[in-house]
Amino acid sequence: MHKINKAHQVRLMTLESSWRMVGLISCGGLALLILCMAMPIVTSSTNAVESRITTTDSIALAISPNVDIDLTPTAEGSFGATTVAIRVASSSNAGYSLYVNTADGTTSMVNTDANQTASIAPVAKDSKATEFTNNTWGFSIDQATADTNTTYQAVPAVSTKVLSSNQANANDQLYLHVGAKIDTALPAGQYSNNLVVSAVAHPSYVTGLMSLTYMQDMTSNICQDTKAANGANTVTPGNEVEKRLIDVRDGKEYWVAKLADGNCWMTQNLALDLNEKTLPLKPETSDIDKSWAPSVYTSTTVPSVEDSENLHLERSWGFGKYILKDPDTTQACDTVPTGQPLDSCNTLVNVNSSDWQSTTLDSSVDVASKLYDAHYLIGNYYSWYAATAGSGVSLAATPESDISQPAQLKNAPASLCPKGWQMPRSGRNTSTTSPNYGRPFDVDDSFFRLFRAYGYPDSNKYITTANGFSYTPLLTQKYQNATRPPMYFIGSGLADINRGAIRYLGLNGSYWSATVNSSDWSFNFTVNINASTVAPATQHGYAIGYNIRCLVK
């Protein structure tokens, strides 16, 4: 049995096969060697219900290449038949189909002697053994051995479906029956034709996260159809489902989960390097509508202090596989200055040399044990212009005057997220006295809704910072710590080009939203997480480097 990789069509047996009638008409023998093909499903775009084809589907077809029929022709015609077993195995959850045709488009068995024009024609209609006309042949494929009720049909010249099964993960035993009726009027000689049997896997319908392999195969429908771990239609805290998916742009793997807000989130920071290996980004694989490349590649060194004219560059920083030793650490590393490696910060570990991707990672790992888990990778830092794949520049340049109205909150139309995913959106509470739950948090505030789904209570306190920025925080309780499962919002700090450093490692985690602060062109909304509060709509400068988490609604 042969297993075929996805998106390839290969011939498993390349046999020059034929029927042969050997000897005198008074005693004829027919022998058939069969061409066998198995065709796995081919990747395609989403169908009408946004179902995708899984990457692990395969189809295997095994069949004996030899068919022998012994019969003695008579004046009235003599019928003979034989059966060979076919084994079909498919990993598709939607079944498979079998197709049959002749290899050269000729449906009759032709005498190999070019001077002979006689042939054995295909049956004119579907026929049982007793219904065959003389000097015709036919075949049947079904799940039963041959009997008097077996109906034979003509072999088609072009590939034609003869059997279809909807059995998921099929491993079927089938039978190929071949029959012929010969009389003494047929000239002696060899008669041949080539029979091709093909198996094709049906496209697997993906209705949930756990069936996917690639980030780019996710759709809104697939996310919404994903059931909770307990089988319920709605995910509740403690019943999340999680899987690692591959970003086809660079092959990196990311933990993603359907969380209790009903959305599918990356539960690991994006680490897409923007360089000659990944650029330009394409709409086929990224959350953009046209090809895009930044003005500068991803830097691998701690940022230096930038001149003011460089503050709007599409900057990004990536340092490899760094993790926090303990995401719950209280020993924060406040600053890694320019020229120093990140592991000069004693709260970090560089795992570049570790073969971590081949390790079985457990999302329920005990954080206190400091066992390595990919959720805690620092990932890359991006300025907002880079995070939005350049699309945020025009939004920042034309601020709106009234952010108290939800309609005035603008969102960047593109991002560095994989195709099908997007950057979270944010909102801002604009009340001056107390939380105003109706506007604009409840418009499309991905972060606010996520934390509220996990019971983070409102502080009922309106906070104004020294810079005049205001927000209504959510209190962080130890049993709801955002750095722990299932959200894993780690304290990865930020890339600060104003001071030339990576700052607040282990202390704060800041993640970009797609939403601009339309009252001030130089600031954008982020979620900010620390030991005491979760602030879902803080304001930060576009030039600072923060992390990205993508989601699918």
Side-chain angles (χ1 to χ4, degrees):
M1 190 171 292
H2 302 267
K3 188 171 183 178
I4 310 303
N5 292 329
K6 179 180 172 67
H8 293 286
Q9 296 185 4
V10 298
R11 176 163 293 179
L12 302 181
M13 302 180 185
T14 55
L15 303 176
E16 291 300 325
S17 58
S18 63
W19 283 75
R20 292 181 299 165
M21 181 174 288
V22 183
L24 299 176
I25 286 301
S26 59
C27 184
L30 295 94
L32 176 66
L33 295 179
I34 303 166
L35 298 176
C36 173
M37 298 179 69
M39 289 169 282
I41 57 177
V42 179
T43 304
S44 66
S45 59
T46 56
N47 64 20
V49 293
E50 289 195 84
S51 296
R52 289 290 301 222
I53 296 169
T54 63
T55 59
T56 56
D57 285 347
S58 61
I59 186 76
L61 175 63
I63 184 170
S64 171
N66 299 308
V67 177
D68 297 307
I69 302 175
D70 294 322
L71 55 81
T72 301
T74 64
E76 297 78 14
S78 176
F79 180 83
T82 193
T83 298
V84 293
I86 300 175
R87 174 71 69 178
V88 182
S90 172
S91 64
S92 170
N93 64 16
Y96 65 90
S97 292
L98 286 187
Y99 293 76
V100 170
N101 63 281
T102 58
D104 60 1
T106 301
T107 57
S108 296
M109 288 190 293
V110 181
N111 197 309
T112 57
D113 183 351
N115 295 320
Q116 291 286 350
T117 59
S119 63
I120 304 174
V123 292
K125 61 180 182 178
D126 292 354
S127 303
K128 296 179 181 179
T130 57
E131 299 170 337
F132 267 63
T133 57
N134 288 345
N135 302 322
T136 60
W137 74 293
F139 82 100
S140 175
I141 293 180
D142 56 42
Q143 296 178 327
T145 56
D147 57 27
T148 56
N149 291 318
T150 299
T151 299
Y152 298 83
Q153 59 183 298
V155 177
V158 297
S159 184
T160 301
K161 184 189 296 186
V162 296
L163 183 145
S164 184
S165 170
N166 295 323
Q167 178 65 43
N169 303 310
N171 186 12
D172 293 345
Q173 178 70 65
L174 304 174
Y175 298 94
L176 168 65
H177 313 299
V178 179
K181 187 175 183 181
I182 308 297
D183 66 17
T184 55
L186 189 71
Q190 290 188 354
Y191 295 82
S192 67
N193 204 322
N194 297 320
L195 181 65
V196 179
V197 178
S198 307
V200 179
H202 295 164
S204 287
Y205 296 106
V206 178
T207 57
L209 163 64
M210 303 309 289
S211 298
L212 299 180
T213 299
Y214 294 103
M215 297 284 288
Q216 284 79 358
D217 280 344
M218 175 65 82
T219 68
S220 179
N221 281 4
I222 290 175
C223 178
Q224 296 310 311
D225 289 344
T226 299
K227 295 185 181 298
N230 62 0
N233 291 327
T234 301
V235 173
T236 54
N239 286 296
E240 300 83 2
V241 290
E242 184 180 47
K243 187 177 183 180
R244 294 184 78 190
L245 299 182
I246 301 169
D247 188 339
V248 300
R249 297 174 295 183
D250 58 7
K252 291 181 180 177
E253 295 182 74
Y254 296 98
W255 283 109
V256 302
K258 184 170 183 180
L259 301 180
D261 64 338
N263 298 325
C264 294
W265 287 79
M266 290 178 62
T267 51
Q268 182 179 331
N269 293 349
L270 184 69
L272 178 68
D273 295 323
L274 303 176
N275 53 36
E276 67 278 0
K277 293 182 179 180
T278 59
L279 296 174
L281 298 183
K282 301 287 188 180
E284 293 78 13
T285 55
S286 298
D287 179 34
I288 55 179
D289 59 7
K290 59 182 178 181
S291 295
W292 176 83
S295 55
V296 290
Y297 285 172
T298 296
S299 174
T300 58
T301 59
V302 174
S304 303
V305 176
E306 293 281 356
D307 295 331
S308 59
E309 61 267 21
N310 292 329
L311 296 185
H312 293 167
L313 290 178
E314 296 147 347
R315 297 297 307 274
S316 57
W317 299 266
F319 304 98
K321 302 185 187 77
Y322 278 89
I323 62 167
L324 292 169
K325 289 181 180 178
D326 185 348
D328 286 341
T329 182
T330 56
Q331 182 182 4
C333 179
D334 184 61
T335 303
V336 178
T338 301
Q340 294 295 315
L342 259 64
D343 49 11
S344 63
C345 176
N346 59 12
T347 64
L348 289 176
V349 175
N350 187 344
V351 294
N352 266 318
S353 61
S354 300
D355 189 17
W356 62 273
Q357 290 202 5
S358 66
T359 303
T360 300
L361 301 174
D362 183 359
S363 61
S364 63
V365 66
D366 181 3
V367 175
S369 71
K370 300 181 177 61
L371 293 175
Y372 175 65
D373 189 287
H375 292 91
Y376 304 118
L377 284 167
I378 295 297
N380 287 13
Y381 304 91
Y382 305 93
S383 72
W384 195 64
Y385 297 117
T388 61
S391 68
V393 175
S394 61
L395 296 181
T398 57
E400 299 290 344
S401 59
D402 184 5
I403 65 169
S404 66
Q405 299 298 316
Q408 303 299 331
L409 295 177
K410 290 191 172 183
N411 298 292
S415 74
L416 297 184
C417 294
K419 183 176 180 62
W421 298 72
Q422 65 183 46
M423 282 173 59
R425 295 181 177 183
S426 188
R428 182 182 177 189
N429 189 311
T430 58
S431 169
T432 58
T433 57
S434 63
N436 179 348
Y437 302 125
R439 175 157 50 210
F441 275 144
D442 289 342
V443 178
D444 187 10
D445 191 332
S446 309
F447 292 120
F448 186 80
R449 290 174 180 273
L450 175 63
F451 288 108
R452 285 296 297 272
Y454 284 93
Y456 281 69
D458 294 294
S459 67
N460 200 31
K461 180 180 180 182
Y462 188 74
I463 296 176
T464 300
T465 69
N467 294 324
F469 307 141
S470 55
Y471 58 88
T472 301
L474 303 176
L475 297 180
T476 301
Q477 300 179 14
K478 185 65 175 178
Y479 70 90
Q480 295 170 326
N481 195 318
T483 64
R484 285 181 171 269
M487 293 184 283
Y488 299 97
F489 281 106
I490 60 176
S492 46
L494 57 91
D496 192 341
I497 65 174
N498 296 314
R499 300 193 182 187
I502 301 295
R503 304 181 65 206
Y504 305 120
L505 284 162
L507 182 62
N508 285 345
S510 294
Y511 296 85
W512 283 125
S513 80
T515 308
V516 296
N517 175 1
S518 52
S519 66
D520 187 336
W521 69 268
S522 64
F523 288 91
N524 182 59
F525 289 131
T526 66
V527 63
N528 186 264
I529 300 164
N530 58 40
S532 60
T533 61
V534 173
T538 57
Q539 302 175 103
H540 291 281
Y542 292 108
I544 302 298
Y546 295 116
N547 297 117
I548 296 177
R549 291 286 177 95
C550 303
L551 85 160
V552 176
K553 291 176 175 283

